[in-house]
Amino acid sequence: MSVRQPTPVPDPIGSYGAKIDGRERISGAALFVADLKLPRMVHAKFVRSTRAHARIVRIHLDAALAIPGVVGHCVGEELPRRYGVIPVAQDETALAVGKVRYIGEPVVCIAALDPETAHRACEAVRVEYEDIEAILTIEAALDPARPTIHEYARKPSNILRRVHQNYGNVDAGFAEAAVVLEENFDYPGSTHVALESHAALARVEPDGKLTLWSSTQNPHYVHRDVARVLGLRDQDVRLIKPAVGAGYGGKCDPFCSDICASHLARKLGRPVRIVLEREEVFLAHRGRHPTRMWLKMGFSAEGRITAVDFKAWADGGAYASYGVVTSYYLGVFMPLPYQLENYRFESHRLYTNKPPCGPKRGHGAIQPRFALEVLLDRAAGRLGLDPAAMRRDNCVEANSETCNGLRVTSVGIQACIDAVVQASGYTERRGKLGPGRGLGIATSAYMCGALHPIYQNEMPHSTVQIKIDRSGEVVVYSGTADVGQGSNHMLAGLVAHRLGLHPADIRVLEGDTSLTPVDLGSYSSRVTFMAGNAALLAVNPLRERIVAAVAEKLGCDPAEVSFGRPGHADRGDGPRVGTDTSDVSWVDAVWLAEEKSGPLVNAGGYTPPKIGSRFRRQSVGPSPAYSFTAQVAEVVVDEETGMVAVERIWVAHDCGRVLNLAVVEGQIEGCVYMGVGEALCEEQRYLPGGLIRAPSILEYKLPTVHESPEVTVFAIESHDPEGPLGAKEAGEGPQLSTVPAIANAIFDASGVWLHQPPFTPERVLRALDARARGGPP
Amino acid sequence: MLPLPRFSWEAPDRLPDLVRLAAEPGARLVAGGTDLLPSMKHRIFRPGTLVSTRRVPELRTLRVGADHSLSLGAALSLRELARHAEVRTHFPSLALALGSVATPTIQGMATLGGNLMLDTRCMYYNQPSGWRAALGGCLKCEGTLCHVAPRGAGCYAAHSADTVPVLMLLGATAVFATPNGELPIAVGELYPEDGREGPRCPPGAVLVRVEVPAPQRAVAFRKLRQRAAIDYGLLLTAVAPTPEGWEAVISAVAPQPIRVAAPTREALADAVHKAVQPLPTHQQASTWRKRMLRVEVARALASLPA
């Protein structure tokens, strides 16, 4: 029998190690809100508006409340306080108060002993409406003669926000250009389709305090808004985020389910659970803003971008959600990843009588990136330049500042371009694949969290607390919301890395406002950067205290002490702490440290650096770091049917440093698949009266496995100086360049430019017909 | 998740009991339930009793004749039929049609009888009850106006059963059990002109089996859809040679499958294009579906031996 050779604990950083919570997800053991049951729990459902824009005249509830099994209800007047995550645009109520603003808006909430009875009761409610002219298009929203959807602003209008910014001298930039191109683009609305629908379960505790379990990306903001609407102190509300089946931005807001479950639980004195039906998830929406765009770009003969002028009108639906932020994101990221000196944009975020749009993966930046990358390829064609080389020549450099004052630190964009160009054979193969097959390239950049918090404060954006118990257990407490993206594993990996442990030995408790310190939430790609840094700030002093205690015990220099050391041949594996000549077990090291310096508990808070900007108004957009992506798509266009097949995508993403390769690759692949959906088939459409056309995952077309290309991922490491161990985001940015890469590949395949995703067969055929008639491509 | 409305459940194991229970007021037959249960969740149907066909041996029997003719029990799953060696070898177009329904998991639940008796479909009809209420209903359900053709004469909800065009060209017969004995009806005769009615099931009758005569000619089948799985067809196309020339059956365009004949292979696509007018019953543009008629017929023909 051979003696097992003890090995050092492998460093999890950069490895392909399995996620610590992967097994509970794939085995079905993870508990989602819909799995939670409490004694005496009742189920609530919503009566929803059948009108796009109407005053509520009367609500007839008698027939519904007479149904056996119905236990209670609530209407909008009981919850009149308006809420919303963005302080300057709090315009929502959980149930319509006085008037309805879109078909499907919740009007009444009814609780019953079972969901079927609640559903039947909702059908028995009759609501009398008095119609108001509905605003359903961008033109109507811009027309000051039309009725306004909201009255709360000082000067009511259907323009929630107009942003206008101007950098350098755009007119001079166009004057010096060798080629000037301009084009109109229409980017469609789409929705997230997270596998788990929104859900909430509320209970009033014996002491009168409220506990709310919610399927949310943002426990902190939901916590604040639920307390605000219910008139409770924040400290009397506990929000727990159980396992969440993804969000993609769709669970960043507080929802009617959160507020009505909480209110009814207090009103009825029994737990209330609300699980939205799939149709209702399409109505809760907060998806991509349908955006009309006009873009004009100037280029020198060598392909340098001399000026960019951009206008956007975003059709935002009936409520603000994150729309104020959207209006900025539509413009502020345009000066990355290319060097721009002369840039101006004007964006509008509009109200219309449709389900509210909000943040969807790549929030606000997806639409302009599509326009810019397509126009860039057209310019390359006009100038006779290789599109990849032209992009490479325009790239920003590390440690620079953009024309709109974004501080840029690490930059891996050129390495990204090189990786996908080489892997795909772009330079040699483009234009030579014969009719119907083509290659296209696009690049992009995205943020790693916002420099400035959503509500004004100087506190840390993320706090992580770590407790190391004398049992040897390490517990990480974080207010983050792992919604499947892997933030729990990220935290465990960083802490395990510092303490020489396996990630699976780290217990992560997260997303519980009473148990865990505040993290602002899973949005704007902020969690790895901010919570990751907070975790390092929390663990590093604990590590130093263990080093000091072990060095004292072993009589060695603290600098010689290392972690994750192998065990001894006769006693199996480590981890052990010490030097090459003597060491102690991990548990002994913890004992020594606690004996020497007291409880091993520490918290770290991450606050973004104060970065001065030349532009005082630039408060939305700046980030502590930016990620970069390049991708090449290979497509086949069936010129008889107009059907486009995306066969392969090569994608390289500068994520700063890979903390876990499986998670990074998974996030990048997820971005690409979501981008393929937006390119080929996804669109949230409405009938002319404002009724959503396809509120089902049968008719809202997501790509199946057949439509999903083979994806080759390259993780590029630029080692950001401020990221946790150098890491940046990987879960959002890679989606930005997928749609334009596919559009550019369609041009290579069939010689037509498409300016309106999704590239459906009829749109492709229409473009091919126009080309056949001799029109412009 | 949309809750199902309440109903009671019967699962007889004798054919006479199935026929009797199915005839009772408020009863409805359920086989795989893959289409019926979503429609019940949408409150399109609110049957008091569901009567399951799955335990009745006559509906689960598959017989192969010496001449390779088939007798296929109505409650056999699409998957077991699509995988059956006789079906694959002698009726490859039927195997293809069976395997094109929805997804492999749904094919494991869904049945041949259920596919033949599939209700007609329309984007204004197959929607949740709250959606239909906002629309004010439609001619087929809860309303008086057809949103597909407001000035039209009736309901245009589309026949959408993937297996039917092929079965029609194979000359298949649906055999029903009634209190007075068996009643055979040619598959092509099952579908009325008005989409409101759905498949014609004689009163008190239960579909027991489908009889497919011995293979006589090659049949080609194509299903046009946006995605290669899950979706209902945007066009269902079956083509085959006849003694006089060629014929096609096109479905997913009207309440009935449409049979079109032409003297030559070359003329068939034009004849279909002339005879068939897709209407906006689907989410996808009907102009594109119209244009695809020629392409689908040509591609179906190309898949047959010359």
Side-chain angles (χ1 to χ4, degrees):
Chain A
M1 204 172 104
S2 66
V3 176
R4 191 161 134 248
Q5 280 302 311
T7 54
V9 177
D11 185 356
I13 299 305
S15 82
Y16 221 92
K19 276 164 78 172
I20 56 167
D21 48 4
R23 189 177 293 266
E24 66 168 52
R25 294 302 182 105
I26 59 170
S27 66
L31 294 177
F32 299 84
V33 173
D35 295 316
L36 305 179
K37 295 184 178 69
L38 293 173
R40 300 182 68 244
M41 181 177 89
V42 295
H43 304 262
K45 290 199 173 285
F46 295 101
V47 176
R48 289 176 178 270
S49 168
T50 55
R51 307 300 177 91
H53 198 190
R55 256 179 296 283
I56 299 171
V57 177
R58 196 169 292 111
I59 301 174
H60 300 272
L61 287 161
D62 294 352
L65 301 182
I67 292 174
V70 171
V71 296
H73 76 284
C74 61
V75 295
E77 277 71 17
E78 295 171 45
L79 298 160
R81 195 172 292 176
R82 290 195 309 257
Y83 62 87
V85 170
I86 308 299
V88 296
Q90 293 185 320
D91 60 6
E92 278 197 74
T93 51
L95 300 169
V97 179
K99 80 174 201 176
V100 291
R101 296 179 174 86
Y102 65 95
I103 297 174
E105 179 167 6
V107 178
V108 181
C109 186
I110 297 185
L113 296 176
D114 63 89
E116 191 272 334
T117 304
H119 190 280
R120 208 151 23 95
C122 287
E123 286 186 322
V125 172
R126 198 165 60 81
V127 184
E128 287 178 46
Y129 295 105
E130 190 179 289
D131 283 324
I132 305 169
E133 181 191 352
I135 308 299
L136 293 163
T137 62
I138 287 172
E139 290 74 22
L142 291 169
D143 180 354
R146 306 291 186 105
T148 53
I149 295 170
H150 290 278
E151 291 77 29
Y152 70 92
R154 242 179 310 148
K155 276 168 61 185
S157 97
N158 291 321
I159 301 174
L160 166 67
R161 183 60 65 104
R162 174 183 171 273
V163 177
H164 181 244
Q165 295 185 357
N166 189 357
Y167 305 98
N169 188 333
V170 172
D171 297 329
F174 284 125
E176 66 167 278
V179 167
V180 175
L181 292 173
E182 64 175 278
E183 188 59 72
N184 295 302
F185 297 85
D186 259 304
Y187 201 94
S190 59
T191 200
H192 319 77
V193 202
L195 204 53
E196 182 209 16
S197 64
H198 303 62
L201 165 62
R203 168 168 78 179
V204 179
E205 304 296 343
D207 59 7
K209 294 179 180 175
L210 180 80
T211 303
L212 173 64
W213 290 262
S214 174
S215 171
T216 179
Q217 295 177 241
N218 290 344
H220 178 64
Y221 297 126
V222 176
H223 176 214
R224 281 164 54 90
D225 269 346
V226 167
R228 171 192 165 82
V229 175
L230 269 55
L232 298 171
R233 300 184 302 176
D234 285 10
Q235 66 199 66
D236 293 338
V237 176
R238 177 181 185 186
L239 191 132
I240 301 172
K241 177 214 72 80
V244 169
Y248 312 114
K251 294 175 182 167
C252 284
D253 294 84
F255 285 93
C256 56
S257 39
D258 298 311
I259 289 164
C260 290
S262 301
H263 174 63
L264 281 173
R266 299 179 76 222
K267 187 172 170 181
L268 305 177
R270 55 198 295 180
V272 177
R273 194 176 80 188
I274 302 178
V275 180
L276 292 195
E277 294 157 9
R278 179 56 62 180
E279 176 204 18
E280 296 181 288
V281 177
F282 282 91
L283 300 170
H285 194 36
R286 321 290 153 151
R288 180 100 52 233
H289 287 68
T291 305
R292 181 168 305 165
M293 299 176 283
W294 169 84
L295 176 64
K296 181 177 175 184
M297 295 179 75
F299 300 87
S300 73
E302 304 76 42
R304 190 173 51 80
I305 302 169
T306 61
V308 174
D309 197 358
F310 177 64
K311 291 192 171 80
W313 296 265
D315 175 350
Y319 291 95
S321 181
Y322 286 70
V324 172
V325 177
T326 315
S327 62
Y328 287 90
Y329 284 6
L330 282 166
V332 293
F333 299 124
M334 206 74 120
L336 286 171
Y338 309 121
Q339 293 183 32
L340 296 185
E341 284 171 27
N342 308 307
Y343 172 50
R344 84 182 152 218
F345 79 90
E346 182 185 350
S347 68
H348 306 77
R349 200 282 194 176
L350 307 169
Y351 281 125
T352 53
N353 291 113
K354 289 180 277 192
C357 298
K360 183 186 172 194
R361 204 176 205 168
H363 182 190
I366 291 266
Q367 299 96 320
R369 181 55 45 191
F370 165 67
L372 187 140
E373 293 293 320
V374 168
L375 214 53
L376 207 65
D377 253 45
R378 285 176 53 176
R382 185 78 74 83
L383 292 164
L385 299 171
D386 175 87
M390 179 176 158
R391 282 177 171 81
R392 207 178 184 287
D393 291 344
N394 271 293
C395 286
V396 294
E397 296 188 347
N399 304 312
S400 60
E401 190 180 301
T402 66
C403 65
N404 61 338
L406 305 183
R407 180 203 67 158
V408 180
T409 51
S410 58
V411 174
I413 182 62
Q414 292 185 330
C416 290
I417 293 174
D418 292 346
V420 295
V421 164
Q422 195 183 5
S424 66
Y426 178 86
T427 312
E428 312 80 59
R429 295 171 69 223
R430 185 181 66 93
K432 302 188 185 90
L433 295 174
R437 180 179 288 272
L439 288 175
I441 190 170
T443 65
S444 55
Y446 203 63
M447 68 194 312
C448 301
L451 217 51
H452 305 288
I454 283 178
Y455 63 94
Q456 187 61 44
N457 74 83
E458 301 284 325
M459 290 177 275
H461 290 211
S462 185
T463 299
V464 169
Q465 186 182 20
I466 297 175
K467 182 201 74 172
I468 304 177
D469 187 83
R470 61 188 68 174
S471 68
E473 185 188 35
V474 180
V475 185
V476 176
Y477 300 86
S478 166
T480 48
D482 193 323
V483 295
Q485 85 277 38
S487 61
N488 283 353
H489 189 86
M490 179 274 298
L491 293 169
L494 288 171
V495 172
H497 163 78
R498 298 302 287 148
L499 299 178
L501 302 173
H502 294 279
D505 290 334
I506 312 293
R507 186 185 295 277
V508 179
L509 298 178
E510 47 112 36
D512 179 331
T513 59
S514 293
L515 196 62
T516 59
V518 167
D519 174 273
L520 293 179
S522 292
Y523 63 93
S524 294
S525 284
R526 52 175 296 289
V527 176
T528 292
F529 205 93
M530 300 194 178
N533 270 320
L536 290 176
L537 291 167
V539 72
N540 284 339
L542 294 171
R543 185 184 198 277
E544 293 316 309
R545 286 170 55 194
I546 294 168
V547 166
V550 170
E552 184 177 283
K553 170 76 174 177
L554 301 179
C556 68
D557 181 349
E560 291 175 46
V561 174
S562 64
F563 288 69
R565 303 185 61 76
H568 300 152
D570 53 343
R571 277 182 284 150
D573 264 345
R576 299 180 68 83
V577 184
T579 69
D580 288 344
T581 50
S582 62
D583 55 21
V584 299
S585 74
W586 161 252
V587 174
D588 287 347
V590 171
W591 278 56
L592 290 168
E594 188 168 343
E595 281 168 353
K596 177 175 164 64
S597 58
L600 289 173
V601 179
N602 190 48
Y606 173 80
T607 307
K610 293 213 181 306
I611 302 168
S613 171
R614 291 173 287 159
F615 309 104
R616 195 146 43 93
R617 63 198 161 171
Q618 195 61 288
S619 60
V620 185
S623 173
Y626 301 90
S627 70
F628 297 89
T629 312
Q631 53 195 307
V632 170
E634 181 165 347
V635 307
V636 173
V637 179
D638 182 331
E639 299 205 353
E640 259 190 321
T641 63
M643 285 177 143
V644 176
V646 181
E647 290 205 338
R648 280 198 76 168
I649 299 266
W650 295 265
V651 54
H653 180 69
D654 164 20
C655 63
R657 181 157 179 210
V658 175
L659 297 184
N660 177 289
L661 190 55
V663 175
V664 166
E665 288 188 356
Q667 285 296 305
I668 295 172
E669 288 168 1
C671 284
V672 169
Y673 292 136
M674 200 170 243
V676 168
E678 290 187 25
L680 296 186
C681 44
E682 288 188 50
E683 183 171 8
Q684 177 131 323
R685 296 160 71 203
Y686 298 88
L687 294 172
L691 178 59
I692 183 172
R693 283 178 66 107
S696 75
I697 42 181
L698 176 59
E699 292 300 341
Y700 179 90
K701 302 297 184 189
L702 299 162
T704 72
V705 66
H706 298 287
E707 286 75 42
S708 301
E710 181 184 343
V711 179
T712 307
V713 175
F714 301 91
I716 303 295
E717 297 189 311
S718 61
H719 297 274
D720 190 80
E722 295 176 19
L725 306 184
K728 302 189 286 191
E729 74 89 29
E732 252 186 305
Q735 195 183 330
L736 269 64
S737 34
T738 305
V739 178
I742 291 169
N744 292 340
I746 291 172
F747 176 78
D748 189 41
S750 57
V752 294
W753 292 113
L754 296 172
H755 301 121
Q756 183 178 11
F759 311 129
T760 56
E762 70 255 37
R763 282 184 182 145
V764 172
L765 279 188
R766 210 179 302 143
L768 289 168
D769 287 349
R771 186 198 62 182
R773 287 194 303 267
Chain B
M1 199 166 73
L2 278 166
L4 275 169
R6 290 175 192 200
F7 56 87
S8 58
W9 177 259
E10 297 283 354
D13 42 23
R14 291 178 56 248
L15 184 57
D17 293 338
L18 182 68
V19 173
R20 179 178 52 77
L21 287 165
E24 288 189 359
R28 197 173 177 108
L29 286 172
V30 61
T34 55
D35 188 66
L36 178 64
L37 296 187
S39 291
M40 286 171 63
K41 288 183 172 185
H42 286 172
R43 275 41 182 190
I44 286 173
F45 305 120
R46 301 176 192 237
T49 307
L50 288 186
V51 183
S52 170
T53 62
R54 299 214 111 184
R55 288 169 63 177
V56 178
E58 287 88 336
L59 276 73
R60 301 194 59 90
T61 305
L62 190 156
R63 273 195 300 272
V64 181
D67 57 355
H68 303 296
S69 63
L70 297 173
S71 170
L72 309 172
L76 291 168
S77 80
L78 302 179
R79 186 163 59 187
E80 50 197 318
L81 291 171
R83 289 180 174 181
H84 197 278
E86 279 288 327
V87 176
R88 295 176 72 89
T89 308
H90 298 287
F91 301 95
S93 58
L94 180 59
L96 188 63
L98 290 160
S100 74
V101 174
T103 64
T105 40
I106 290 174
Q107 289 161 25
M109 235 8 232
T111 66
L112 181 63
N115 196 246
L116 259 68
M117 303 310 283
L118 184 72
D119 191 16
T120 54
R121 295 184 60 84
C122 177
M123 67 159 280
Y124 297 97
Y125 169 66
N126 297 98
Q127 296 276 9
S129 52
W131 192 98
R132 298 196 310 274
L135 187 71
C138 75
L139 201 54
K140 188 167 161 70
C141 188
E142 301 156 351
T144 54
L145 181 69
C146 173
H147 302 276
V148 169
R151 287 193 295 264
C155 164
Y156 298 91
H159 174 269
S160 304
D162 291 344
T163 60
V164 167
V166 169
L167 286 172
M168 284 172 66
L169 290 186
L170 293 174
T173 303
V175 179
F176 291 83
T178 76
N180 309 315
E182 289 197 339
L183 177 67
I185 302 178
V187 168
E189 303 299 315
L190 288 174
Y191 308 102
E193 200 176 342
D194 191 289
R196 271 172 286 194
E197 293 168 52
R200 269 190 203 114
C201 182
V206 172
L207 177 62
V208 177
R209 63 184 185 274
V210 176
E211 294 189 341
V212 185
Q216 284 146 17
R217 54 178 177 167
V219 175
F221 172 73
R222 288 184 63 82
K223 176 175 178 176
L224 180 70
R225 47 185 163 175
Q226 202 170 342
R227 303 178 291 186
I230 301 177
D231 293 345
Y232 283 94
L234 300 171
L235 291 176
L236 301 172
T237 304
V239 299
T242 63
E244 298 79 34
W246 291 82
E247 66 175 333
V249 174
I250 309 294
S251 198
V253 289
Q256 294 174 303
I258 298 172
R259 198 186 275 265
V260 181
T264 64
R265 206 175 162 117
E266 292 68 34
L268 189 61
D270 282 342
V272 165
H273 191 262
K274 196 172 167 199
V276 177
Q277 181 53 57
L279 293 169
T281 43
H282 292 62
Q283 299 284 349
Q284 293 74 13
S286 39
T287 47
W288 177 73
R289 291 167 62 221
K290 172 89 180 173
R291 185 166 171 171
M292 288 307 105
L293 285 166
R294 275 205 181 90
V295 176
E296 288 295 291
V297 171
R299 290 184 178 185
L301 287 169
S303 70
L304 283 175

